[in-house]
Amino acid sequence: ATMRAALLAVARRVPSRVASASARGRDVATTAGAGTGTRDSPFDPAAGDAPVVDIAELQTGAVFTRRRAFTAHDVASFASLAGDHNPIHVDPDAATAAGFRDGPVVHGMLCASMFSAIIGTRFPGAVYATQSLAFRKPVRVGERVRAEVEV
């Protein structure tokens, strides 16, 4: 209910932006990364996206998901952008030495960015103010993962 109230408050402040986003065609896509073949757009059915949500019809309990597999290129790009050059993310030997038998692991914050993608693409104009995370197990490069946001 709190998320719904916050999204409704944002919608009242930027109604034209929300209305225009929900009325626009959402099928334009670009390729993410160098040769990854994954789509990266405001509406990406392959990632589990769906069109923009009508804030007035948002219900408590609604669930929004996004799916993807992070490539080695994604991880290296994130390491460069974030400045997090911990070798467990890019070097198989370092990952193995640290106890990750199956090789490099994806940065936790790169995985967490999937939540921002859900909020930003489904609720244009919403302000994403807080997030609490618990990393339960490592995500391997190439492993398909799902992020889920519940209202």
Side-chain angles (χ1 to χ4, degrees), residues 43-133:
F43 173 52
D44 184 356
D49 287 351
V52 173
V53 172
D54 180 350
I55 302 295
E57 295 179 15
L58 190 61
Q59 298 292 318
T60 299
V63 176
F64 304 94
T65 62
R66 186 171 184 88
R67 295 170 188 81
R68 76 164 294 158
F70 292 100
T71 65
H73 177 77
D74 295 332
V75 172
S77 295
F78 183 84
S80 179
L81 288 168
D84 179 352
H85 299 285
N86 185 332
I88 67 167
H89 300 298
V90 294
D91 180 351
D93 293 332
T96 300
F100 300 106
R101 293 184 311 251
D102 298 323
V105 295
V106 178
H107 296 80
M109 295 311 292
L110 179 54
C111 292
S113 72
M114 293 173 65
F115 298 112
S116 179
I118 293 169
I119 301 297
T121 59
R122 298 300 301 273
F123 308 100
V127 177
Y128 188 21
T130 186
Q131 178 174 333
S132 296
L133 301 170

